[in-house]
Amino acid sequence: MKRILSKLAVLLVFANVCITAFAAPQVGTLVRDTILEVPCVVYLPHNYAERAHDGSRRGFPVLYLQHGMFGSENDWSTSGRLLHWMDSLHREDMIAEMIIVMPDNFLGSIPLEERRALMAAPNVTPDGQPFSVEDGQHHWKKLTREQEQAYEMSGYWEEHFPEFMTQVERKYFIDTREKHRAIAGLSMGGFHTMHVSHYLMSSFDYIGLFSPVILPRETTDLVGGKTKPDPKSPYRTVGFDEQLPYSSPAYAHWMEDMRYLGQMPPMYWIAIGRDDFLYDQLQDYRKWLERNHIEYLYYESAGGHTWTNWQDYLCRFLKCCFTRIW
C-alpha cells in the first residue's frame, strides 16, 4: 500500500509539473538595439524566431512607443512595466502578438553631429554639477530646459522618422502595411506621435496620444492658426517661432494634414487624467477635432501626469490595436 501511495505521489508531482509547464504563458523578451544611432529597446514576441524563419507567413505588426520629456528608451520597460503588462494581456488572450519599438526620441530629436558631441561631452549639468550616466540615458541633463525643449520641438525627429522606420522594418520581421502599424506616446512622446502620424500620412492605422503635449509654449487659436501668449503654460519660455518654427515640413501644414487624415480615418485614441496640467490644452484640441469632423476615441481617468495612468492607457490602447488585421 505504501508503495502504491508513493507511486501515486510521484505521478501527481509529475503531472503538476507538466500542467504548470503547459499552462505557463510564453512571454516575449526585451532586446537593446541602436537604429541610425538612436538607442532603442525592442520587445519581441515569444515566437519571434520561429515566425521569422517561416517564409509562408507575414511579419508581425509593430507599435512605435515613445517616452516623455526628460525620458529615455528605457522608460516604458522600467517605469511602464511593459513586460508585466504584455505577460498579463497575452495570458488572457486580449491582444495581438506584436513587436514594440521604444526609441530614445529625445536623442533622436537632435541632429546627428550635435548628438555625437552631446554624448561625448563631460557629464556635467549647465550649472556645473556632475552626474553619472547608466546605459546611455540622462544626456538631457547636459542641456538647459529651454535647449531640451527646442530640440524636442524642432521637427527633426518627425522629419527623420521615415528613415528610422524603414531601418527598423528592414532589420526586424515586420509587416509593413499600414494596418499592421501603430504609434503612441506619452506627454512629449504624444506630441511626437501626433506630428509623425499626420506627417507620414497613411502610414499608421492606430494612433495613441497619452496625456499629450499638443502645442508648444503658447496657446494656438485652432481656427485661424494664430498664437497668443499664455503665461501659465509650463512650455512657454521664449517666442513660439523661435522654438517651433512652422517652416519645418513636419509642422508647416499640420491642420490641413489632420483634416485629410480624418477622412481615412485611422483609430485615433486619446487619453488623459482630469488633474493633468495638460488637461485644458487637450480639451481645446478635442473641440478643434470635433469642429473639423475628425473622429477619435477618448478616455478620461482620475489622476494626473503619472505612470499609473500611462500604464492603464497603454493596456487599453493595446486591446484596440490591430483588430482590423484578423
Side-chain angles (χ1 to χ4, degrees), residues 42-318:
V42 181
Y43 168 86
L44 298 176
H46 70 90
N47 59 342
Y48 176 80
E50 176 187 348
R51 284 267 300 269
H53 294 91
D54 182 356
S56 64
R57 304 185 68 175
R58 289 188 175 273
F60 289 91
V62 60
L63 164 62
Y64 294 91
L65 186 60
Q66 302 179 93
H67 62 77
M69 192 169 181
F70 303 134
S72 78
E73 74 279 9
N74 300 303
D75 285 10
W76 277 107
S77 58
T78 53
S79 300
R81 303 179 65 202
L82 184 127
L83 269 180
H84 166 78
W85 295 117
M86 294 299 289
D87 179 3
S88 299
L89 293 168
H90 273 303
R91 187 186 302 121
E92 299 174 24
D93 197 25
M94 299 183 74
I95 60 173
E97 291 178 336
M98 69 185 78
I99 293 171
I100 301 178
V101 179
M102 295 163 276
D104 187 334
N105 40 281
F106 159 59
L107 282 180
S109 300
I110 303 176
L112 188 56
E113 292 304 316
E114 296 177 46
R115 188 189 318 162
R116 290 171 179 168
L118 177 70
M119 296 178 74
N123 296 332
V124 179
T125 63
D127 60 0
Q129 298 300 313
F131 64 93
S132 61
V133 175
E134 297 179 2
D135 298 326
Q137 57 184 312
H138 303 316
H139 290 290
W140 53 263
K141 287 187 176 180
K142 302 177 184 181
L143 304 175
T144 65
R145 182 182 178 89
E146 290 74 20
Q147 288 173 323
E148 199 272 353
Q149 288 179 338
Y151 281 126
E152 291 268 27
M153 294 180 167
S154 68
Y156 184 87
W157 176 240
E158 287 84 350
E159 290 175 45
H160 288 77
F161 199 88
E163 186 180 0
F164 173 81
M165 188 169 67
T166 297
Q167 293 302 315
V168 168
E169 296 180 359
R170 283 177 179 170
K171 188 168 187 178
Y172 292 95
F173 190 55
I174 290 173
D175 191 319
T176 59
R177 292 174 294 175
E178 63 272 12
K179 66 180 180 179
H180 291 249
R181 285 202 202 104
I183 186 168
L186 68 90
S187 194
M188 187 64 76
F191 175 89
H192 290 309
T193 295
M194 171 191 167
H195 289 292
V196 167
S197 61
H198 73 72
Y199 182 58
L200 302 186
M201 194 70 66
S202 304
S203 294
F204 305 94
D205 244 23
Y206 305 89
I207 300 165
L209 311 183
F210 310 155
S211 309
V213 175
I214 298 297
L215 299 169
R217 291 183 179 78
E218 292 185 344
T219 302
T220 296
D221 174 356
L222 294 177
V223 176
K226 300 177 182 179
T227 62
K228 57 184 179 181
D230 180 7
K232 296 181 181 179
S233 171
Y235 292 99
R236 185 176 186 277
T237 54
V238 293
F240 181 92
D241 292 331
E242 295 174 82
Q243 293 299 319
L244 181 57
Y246 272 85
S247 58
S248 167
Y251 306 136
H253 307 290
W254 75 269
M255 293 185 185
E256 293 84 352
D257 289 349
M258 285 300 302
R259 293 186 184 101
Y260 184 75
L261 187 70
Q263 298 174 19
M264 299 182 181
M267 186 193 79
Y268 204 72
W269 198 93
I270 304 172
I272 198 166
R274 285 183 288 275
D275 299 323
D276 198 301
F277 68 92
L278 294 170
Y279 183 85
D280 291 341
Q281 186 184 88
L282 183 59
Q283 303 316 305
D284 290 340
Y285 182 54
R286 289 179 62 204
K287 292 174 185 176
W288 182 84
L289 292 173
E290 290 163 8
R291 285 197 300 270
N292 286 273
H293 310 289
I294 299 172
E295 296 180 9
Y296 67 95
L297 299 175
Y298 178 68
Y299 174 70
E300 185 173 300
S301 68
H305 215 66
T306 66
W307 273 106
T308 300
N309 273 346
W310 298 326
Q311 290 176 27
D312 178 35
Y313 303 160
L314 176 64
C315 291
R316 292 174 183 272
F317 180 70
L318 288 172

